[in-house]
Amino acid sequence: QVQLVESGGGLVQSGGSLNLSCTVSGIGFSVYAIGWYRQNPGSNREVVATITSGGSTNYVDSVKGRFTISRDNAKNTVYLQMNNLKPEDTAVYYCKVERFGFPTWGQGTQVIVSS
């Protein structure tokens, strides 16, 4: 059974930093791309950053230069380092893995950025 567990969210002031973790079990982690997404109530879930099995990364424009996605295959974990946080980054952050066209999501971790 595939499981993803996010951690590292919290309350931070504008300009602060957080480092989110997503630990994956139940799959051969190193061969899969992993994505970080975020969602606010009433809004669609949006992709924030993705990382391929080879380490190639992509970011939504609004976080470029502030967020960094990375992975540690030895720990089956993907990280999202978030710097210079803004109130508009407030959301529940989720990680996702997709296998054979089917997504599996974690439970999410709340990030709140106060102004």
Side-chain angles (χ1 to χ4, degrees):
Q1 182 180 0
V2 182
Q3 287 189 322
L4 293 84
V5 179
E6 301 98 334
S7 62
L11 173 63
V12 64
Q13 289 187 333
S14 182
S17 298
L18 287 172
N19 189 24
L20 306 184
S21 299
C22 170
T23 301
V24 184
S25 60
I27 60 171
F29 174 81
S30 64
V31 303
Y32 290 98
I34 306 291
W36 280 101
Y37 296 72
R38 63 188 180 188
Q39 186 174 25
N40 281 305
S43 300
N44 293 328
R45 194 170 295 187
E46 66 166 350
V47 60
V48 175
T50 60
I51 186 165
T52 68
S53 58
S56 297
T57 59
N58 276 293
Y59 301 89
V60 67
D61 285 346
S62 61
V63 308
K64 286 180 180 177
R66 300 189 297 122
F67 290 10
T68 302
I69 188 171
S70 61
R71 65 190 298 157
D72 184 339
N73 289 337
K75 296 182 178 180
N76 284 13
T77 299
V78 172
Y79 303 97
L80 186 67
Q81 176 66 44
M82 307 187 295
N83 298 328
N84 191 21
L85 282 160
K86 303 176 181 181
E88 52 263 43
D89 296 316
T90 294
V92 178
Y93 284 71
Y94 300 87
C95 58
K96 185 194 81 170
V97 65
E98 190 166 306
R99 299 188 306 152
F100 313 113
F102 293 96
T104 301
W105 297 90
Q107 83 288 350
T109 186
Q110 177 75 58
V111 171
I112 300 174
V113 184
S114 63
S115 57

